[in-house]
Amino acid sequence: MRIGVFVCHCGSNIEGTVDTGTVAKAALDFPEVVYATDTMYACSEPGQDGIIQAIKDKNLTGVVVASCTPRMHEPTFRRAVERAGLNRFMFEMANIREHVSWIGKDREANTNKSVDLVRIAVEKLRRDAPLIPSKFSVNKRVMIIGGGVAGIQAALDCADGGLEVVLVERDSSIGGKMAKLDKTFPTVDCSSCILGPKMVDVAQHPNITLHAYSEVDSIGGYVGNFQVQVKKKATYVDWELCTGCGACMEKCPSKKNPDAFNEKIGPSTSINIPFPQAIPKKAYIDATTCRQFVKGKCGVCAKVCPTGAIRYDMTDEIVTEDVGAIVAATGYDLFDISKIAEYGGGRYPDVITGLQYERLLSASGPTGGHIKRPSDGKEPKNIVFIQCVGSRDKSLDRPYCSGFCCMYTAKQTILTKDHIPDSQSYVFYMDIRAPGKMYDEFTRRAMEEYGARYIRGRVAMVYPKGDKLMVRGADTLAGTQVEIEADLVVLAAGAEAAKGAPQLAEKLRISYDKYGFFMESHPKLKPVETNTAGVYLAGSCQGPKDIPQSVGQGSAAAAKVLALFSKDMLESDPQISRVDIKRCVGCGKCIMTCPFKAIKEVEFRGQKKAEVIETVCQGCGICTSTCPQGAIQLSHFTDNQILAEVNALCQS
Amino acid sequence: MSEAIAYYPGCSGLGTSKEYDTSTRAVCAALGLSLVDIPDWSCCGSTPAHTKDHTLSAALSARNLQLVSGMGLKAAATPCPSCLTNLRTANHRIEAAPFKAKVDKLLDEPYGGDVNAISVLQALVENIGVETIASAVRTPLKGLKVACYYGCIMNRPPELMAFDDCENPMAMDNILAALGAEVVPFPLKVECCGASYGIPRPDVTAALSGKLLEAAVGVGADMVAVACPLCQMNLDLRQGQVNRAMGTHYRIPVPYFTQLMGVALNIPDGEIGFGKLNVDPRPVLSKALSGAD
């Protein structure tokens, strides 16, 4: 092999504490190195041209670049050597920036360490072999999981781009949290009026298949060729026949179930269409409360249904959807306010969440848009809003800011004044976080034009006194304690990961953070990608987001899917495991340890053997360290290559 | 019959809250919880010691725990939340080896840190259990409305006390409900009564205790059950001071929860010690119990 070594200055990033010239000179003594030089910016255009020129002039067959992390520029340099006619895997990187120059100031020690790292890279490169990616076709259908505003946007953008879209929604209607809101900030326009048309578009779009009241059961396959099993939960109503007339709801004798759509502050029937604008506008039966299921007799809905759509014997059904990409848009859940016992949420009926308050404000809510407190139906005059309930609180393991609570509280104080002109709103806050367009102006308006009294400080406790709620807290600007007599207390509950999010992440094989939010591939530069190819994120499943951010991300995810599907064939990464069939004893340990289910058992001349499914293998290498025979090897990271690296380090 | 537990009455148990001590002993005996007195126990250090010197404070408590260890027992129960705080704090602090070395220097024998201190309330809930208590009731407290008041340190700080909910504890509520009493939801169950401020700043104590009495009366309680000698004193003995300062006329009994257990378990009057309280609960009690028939 004829190896060339290029040691990068990275401006002063590396050269500042590493003598790159000395490193290059030392590299000339390593076996099979025929050319070595230092270069100002290896990644720049002249830098890459220098590498290409050297490959041609010196007949190089392998290249080492000693520079930054391979995460940054390995693809760059692989493309460069490929342009010069080499196989892209005949290239190695030594990370002398993150691993050397950035972490130590001793120039001599850094130079020596850099020499060692280059030595390691050369030894690895000597054992590299060309690898050829294989190609596979792409199924240009996309699945969106979650029918909130982010999922709706992603679905519509993909469908408008000509893709076939499968939208899976857990509830019986799409719309998500946004459908429950009365108004949106900072424009104070009717939430369901701006979301409703989009929901209708979803229903009417010829390219969109909607599976409502459905959940993702399992996911197999890989980018371009996923197989998703979707569980269509039994609705006990034949949706082909249901016209959404609502006759069943009128006659259902079980009328006092807590209404999930109204955040449990209103009653609902056991057979239910959650709200007037629901898409699909179809009824479903909640079997846990329905008399037909609980007591075994009732059957009223079946009697009144004009189309005979009721099916008490319906069962869950699994459908398989083949798609090429998946967008997760599963949203968030509200923090459980009963976890903060001192505020009495869950114990005192007049301590409610901001989303429950939205339902009270909404004309389609349980009170018809009249603010009535849950305990006695009276109109409250003094309303206390408490911010940061379940956010920015380390003691509750919710240290993050949920981002939208400041804004929705300001909006609610404005709406409160509109509904009840002689009311007074108080807001206990920590800081006001209003960085969006027109956001700060909006909170100012709540204070200055609508007279909401903002008190900076935490509330210590809320306790009932007669039919009032006493709210005791600190005013940290005035340096005093304050106690406010409230008729209603609204807790600005923060956001947390949706129920079941970690389980879905496991199915999608994507990462999630310690709070259950899905992890993007790069927080700055790959905000809607995940580390699993073909799986994208939109909306609050990735972290709390308001509507504009969610919509923006929905569109971004759609753009990524459209870009992916612009190719007919995709290349698979050849850095995958391969089985040496002569050494494999068919023990199956690799099959058990593979987290991606990429190894299957095959029969070869009457014997069990392992076989790697090329397109599924992610190249993690767990199987290779498990195999007792050393029969399964990760291409480009074989035992021999890794041992050669270790030996090189130990000999230095 | 559960495992024997060392019993640490604390200084107030022998003086200002004698009736808490006697009723605790009688109730535990009746329920089969064997309390063994710690020979030659001394003061836990109370409030003055830890305000002056943490090492000395921990040593005073560690000495008592070391004596328990010497008895071959693993747990010590105390009726007094303040004693409990000191005993648990001592255990917590000596987890740090340098601190333990300083404490051991003050002790006759080093203490291994292996004795768990718990409240009598916790012992009753965890070692006996609410169901056993319910099945032992002879005179159900039917018709009696009780507000359960835990005081500010029975459950707090939660990391240290590690028992029940620190904002909405239910242990005493559950016991009294098991006795047949009607437990009224008492929103201020962990609010401070003013504690030792009764001496330097009686106005502060009057305001804070007054708020508690007001809330208890407001939720319709016949009496306030307590689990802390100092809370009991502030709410009961100082009720007159509260009334004078706040312009109120409360006269609500404030018995220890163990005394009410004594009534339900038919413990003799002498051990229940209602006569030692300022506001005698007996008239309210007999009225409530007779009204239930």
Side-chain angles (χ1 to χ4, degrees):
Chain A
M1 192 178 278
R2 295 175 58 81
I3 295 172
V5 174
F6 301 84
V7 186
C8 181
H9 292 197
C10 200
S12 62
N13 268 308
I14 294 171
E15 181 57 30
T17 58
V18 175
D19 184 348
T20 50
T22 302
V23 176
K25 201 179 285 176
L28 278 173
D29 291 338
F30 299 155
E32 302 185 74
V33 174
V34 294
Y35 177 72
T37 184
D38 57 304
T39 167
M40 189 67 171
Y41 288 108
C43 60
S44 67
E45 198 175 8
Q48 293 185 49
D49 287 346
I51 293 170
I52 292 167
Q53 202 56 49
I55 291 171
K56 289 178 177 162
D57 292 349
K58 314 279 175 191
N59 282 328
L60 301 179
T61 56
V63 167
V64 168
V65 173
S67 59
C68 56
T69 164
R71 276 170 183 268
M72 186 91 89
H73 281 313
E74 194 174 56
T76 313
F77 293 125
R78 279 181 173 173
R79 281 196 298 271
V81 300
E82 205 163 45
R83 282 205 298 281
L86 296 184
N87 181 275
R88 57 165 58 200
F89 291 94
M90 301 308 289
F91 164 78
E92 289 296 331
M93 260 181 116
N95 183 351
I96 60 169
R97 195 176 74 178
E98 282 83 343
H99 287 180
V100 181
S101 70
W102 274 357
I103 55 170
K105 288 203 166 107
D106 183 332
R107 192 172 173 87
E108 194 186 338
N110 280 0
T111 304
N112 290 339
K113 185 174 176 186
S114 302
V115 171
D116 286 344
L117 294 183
V118 172
R119 189 201 316 271
I120 290 170
V122 167
E123 287 301 325
K124 165 109 195 302
L125 176 63
R126 292 176 67 202
R127 287 155 184 84
D128 279 350
L131 298 174
I132 314 290
S134 51
K135 292 198 166 188
F136 58 92
S137 63
V138 184
N139 180 346
K140 295 183 181 179
R141 297 178 87 218
V142 58
M143 175 173 285
I144 318 277
I145 307 173
V149 67
I152 288 172
Q153 186 67 38
L156 289 174
D157 286 351
C158 286
D160 288 345
L163 302 180
E164 259 191 73
V165 177
V166 181
L167 180 58
V168 178
E169 166 57 46
R170 176 151 69 178
D171 290 333
S172 80
S173 167
I174 58 170
K177 294 279 188 300
M178 186 177 168
K180 298 186 179 190
L181 305 179
D182 177 38
K183 301 281 188 333
T184 61
F185 58 78
T187 44
V188 200
D189 43 9
C190 164
S191 183
S192 57
C193 310
I194 56 173
L195 182 65
K198 278 188 181 288
M199 291 166 61
V200 174
D201 287 350
V202 168
Q204 295 182 343
H205 206 295
N207 287 359
I208 299 180
T209 307
L210 172 60
H211 293 305
Y213 211 54
S214 301
E215 281 176 34
V216 168
D217 199 53
S218 67
I219 300 168
Y222 50 91
V223 57
N225 297 280
F226 292 105
Q227 292 87 41
V228 188
Q229 308 254 315
V230 178
K231 183 168 80 180
K232 300 194 73 151
K233 297 180 283 185
T235 56
Y236 306 108
V237 177
D238 185 340
W239 281 8
E240 296 288 323
L241 298 175
C242 177
T243 58
C245 69
C248 51
M249 288 170 69
E250 274 173 39
K251 295 287 188 251
C252 178
S254 171
K255 291 192 190 304
K256 293 198 170 155
N257 312 311
D259 186 349
F261 184 77
N262 280 327
E263 292 288 304
K264 298 179 181 168
I265 49 164
S268 91
T269 46
S270 286
I271 188 162
N272 193 11
I273 300 168
F275 57 107
Q277 303 94 328
I279 296 284
K281 196 174 179 188
K282 307 282 181 190
Y284 75 102
I285 294 177
D286 176 4
T288 59
T289 60
C290 170
R291 291 187 190 190
Q292 182 67 32
F293 287 92
V294 176
K295 292 185 178 157
K297 60 176 192 178
C298 177
V300 170
C301 49
K303 280 183 208 119
V304 300
C305 178
T307 61
I310 309 298
R311 298 276 180 276
Y312 296 123
D313 58 351
M314 193 184 262
T315 50
D316 294 354
E317 184 194 344
I318 302 274
V319 293
T320 303
E321 293 285 2
D322 293 319
V323 294
I326 299 173
V327 177
T330 48
Y332 68 98
D333 275 344
L334 280 190
F335 175 80
D336 174 8
I337 58 168
S338 70
K339 283 186 191 160
I340 306 184
E342 58 266 42
Y343 292 169
R347 270 191 294 152
Y348 311 135
D350 294 333
V351 177
I352 61 174
T353 67
L355 197 54
Q356 288 178 321
Y357 196 60
E358 291 285 340
R359 295 314 300 149
L360 290 182
L361 292 167
S362 168
S364 65
T367 54
H370 300 287
I371 306 175
K372 292 176 180 173
R373 51 187 218 162
S375 64
D376 53 12
K378 283 188 191 157
E379 188 178 73
K381 297 293 179 200
N382 277 356
I383 302 176
V384 172
F385 296 85
I386 304 175
Q387 301 225 269
C388 300
V389 177
S391 47
R392 302 182 67 199
D393 193 338
K394 261 193 198 166
S395 69
L396 297 165
D397 198 29
R398 294 286 176 272
Y400 53 85
C401 174
S402 289
F404 46 58
C405 331
C406 283
M407 293 305 297
Y408 78 62
T409 300
K411 174 192 72 183
Q412 287 170 351
T413 64
I414 288 174
L415 295 176
T416 302
K417 198 76 175 171
D418 281 342
H419 280 251
I420 314 170
D422 61 340
S423 67
Q424 177 62 54
S425 295
Y426 300 86
V427 181
F428 282 91
Y429 71 102
M430 289 165 70
D431 308 294
I432 299 297
R433 301 194 165 180
K437 188 173 177 179
M438 294 297 285
Y439 283 16
D440 199 60
E441 296 90 321
F442 185 71
T443 54
R444 297 237 150 254
R445 202 158 91 221
M447 295 177 218
E448 289 159 12
E449 288 175 36
Y450 287 81
R453 288 194 198 155
Y454 272 67
I455 303 162
R456 200 194 78 172
R458 295 294 276 169
V459 168
M461 78 181 298
V462 178
Y463 65 96
K465 188 172 172 185
D467 68 343
K468 305 276 185 190
L469 289 161
M470 304 301 292
V471 181
R472 188 193 307 161
D475 183 337
T476 52
L477 293 179
T480 57
Q481 285 199 4
V482 286
E483 198 158 53
I484 294 169
E485 211 176 66
D487 300 306
L488 185 67
V489 174
V490 181
L491 304 182
E496 55 184 35
K499 195 165 139 274
Q503 288 77 3
L504 181 64
E506 309 266 342
K507 288 175 189 167
L508 288 164
R509 301 190 299 262
I510 59 175
S511 320
Y512 53 96
D513 66 19
K514 60 186 283 205
Y515 308 108
F517 290 114
F518 300 159
M519 298 259 275
E520 63 286 337
S521 198
H522 188 286
K524 306 276 174 229
L525 300 176
K526 290 186 171 180
V528 299
E529 291 98 319
T530 68
N531 283 333
T532 298
V535 178
Y536 304 95
L537 305 175
S540 291
C541 63
Q542 182 236 10
K545 279 184 190 62
D546 64 8
I547 294 166
Q549 288 175 321
S550 300
V551 171
Q553 256 201 338
S555 290
K560 289 287 167 186
V561 174
L562 285 161
L564 177 76
F565 286 178
S566 66
K567 303 184 193 83
D568 293 324
M569 301 290 279
L570 291 179
E571 274 189 0
S572 67
D573 189 340
Q575 295 179 91
I576 54 166
S577 288
R578 286 173 212 279
V579 181
D580 180 349
I581 209 142
K582 294 191 294 298
R583 299 178 86 173
C584 175
V585 295
C587 69
K589 283 192 174 142
C590 52
I591 297 173
M592 282 189 285
T593 51
C594 177
F596 304 100
K597 299 195 172 62
I599 309 175
K600 64 180 176 189
E601 193 181 277
V602 290
E603 191 136 306
F604 183 75
R605 292 181 186 163
Q607 285 180 311
K608 282 183 189 170
K609 300 283 176 186
E611 187 176 288
V612 177
I613 309 164
E614 275 186 43
T615 41
V616 183
C617 177
Q618 301 289 311
C620 69
I622 291 174
C623 55
T624 65
S625 52
T626 309
C627 179
Q629 298 293 310
I632 191 161
Q633 291 284 325
L634 181 58
S635 303
H636 207 56
F637 296 94
T638 62
D639 290 353
N640 284 346
Q641 289 178 313
I642 290 164
L643 283 172
E645 290 182 311
V646 176
N647 280 337
L649 185 61
C650 293
Q651 280 163 13
S652 66
Chain B
M1 176 68 89
S2 57
E3 207 180 318
I5 295 185
Y7 179 60
Y8 181 78
C11 306
S12 53
L14 300 194
T16 54
S17 67
K18 186 86 185 133
E19 65 280 18
Y20 194 12
D21 175 65
T22 57
S23 57
T24 294
R25 288 171 189 273
V27 162
C28 289
L31 291 169
L33 177 61
S34 174
L35 298 179
V36 188
D37 276 276
I38 304 166
D40 193 33
W41 62 271
S42 51
C43 172
C44 68
S46 189
T47 308
H50 70 75
T51 52
K52 190 75 192 146
D53 182 348
H54 285 173
T55 311
L56 177 62
S57 171
L60 283 163
S61 285
R63 177 178 178 277
N64 294 309
L65 293 168
Q66 196 275 324
L67 289 172
V68 175
S69 192
M71 295 159 72
L73 295 178
K74 288 283 168 216
T78 177
C80 172
S82 181
C83 296
L84 181 67
T85 303
N86 280 330
L87 295 171
R88 289 195 85 103
T89 303
N91 262 345
H92 173 66
R93 288 225 164 99
I94 63 163
E95 279 169 19
F99 190 83
K100 182 177 185 309
K102 284 199 280 180
V103 169
D104 279 342
K105 210 178 265 185
L106 296 173
L107 301 179
D108 296 333
E109 281 180 58
Y111 163 55
D114 50 352
V115 175
N116 187 27
I118 62 173
S119 64
V120 165
L121 179 63
Q122 186 176 358
L124 285 169
V125 168
E126 290 182 355
N127 295 44
I128 298 296
V130 173
E131 281 124 53
T132 312
I133 294 171
S135 65
V137 170
R138 298 286 168 270
T139 309
L141 303 184
K142 281 264 175 295
L144 183 70
K145 288 183 173 177
V146 185
C148 291
Y149 174 57
Y150 295 74
C152 50
I153 57 171
M154 177 64 95
N155 306 87
R156 296 192 286 193
E159 307 81 38
L160 186 65
M161 303 314 249
F163 171 60
D164 215 345
D165 190 295
C166 68
E167 295 293 344
N168 186 31
M170 288 302 290
M172 205 195 309
D173 294 60
N174 292 340
I175 287 179
L176 279 155
L179 303 180
E182 185 189 333
V183 182
V184 294
F186 185 49
L188 301 184
K189 52 169 75 164
V190 292
E191 284 294 284
C192 179
C193 64
S196 328
Y197 267 121
I199 295 158
R201 288 287 301 275
D203 57 322
V204 169
T205 301
L208 293 173
S209 289
K211 199 171 248 178
L212 292 171
L213 293 171
E214 181 195 8
V217 171
V219 293
D222 296 326
M223 47 180 74
V224 181
V226 294
C228 169
L230 195 51
C231 301
Q232 201 282 333
M233 189 196 289
N234 283 341
L235 294 183
D236 180 38
L237 188 65
R238 295 185 190 279
Q239 208 168 106
Q241 290 180 5
V242 169
N243 283 336
R244 279 195 293 285
M246 311 301 287
T248 50
H249 303 281
Y250 299 123
R251 193 156 174 80
I252 180 168
V254 187
Y256 293 100
F257 76 102
T258 49
Q259 293 181 293
L260 294 176
M261 289 181 78
V263 173
L265 301 179
N266 283 358
I267 304 285
D269 285 351
E271 285 163 280
I272 292 176
F274 275 148
K276 291 207 175 284
L277 303 182
N278 183 38
V279 181
D280 191 340
R282 281 169 294 199
V284 175
L285 197 56
S286 58
K287 191 176 156 203
L289 296 189
S290 66
D293 291 335

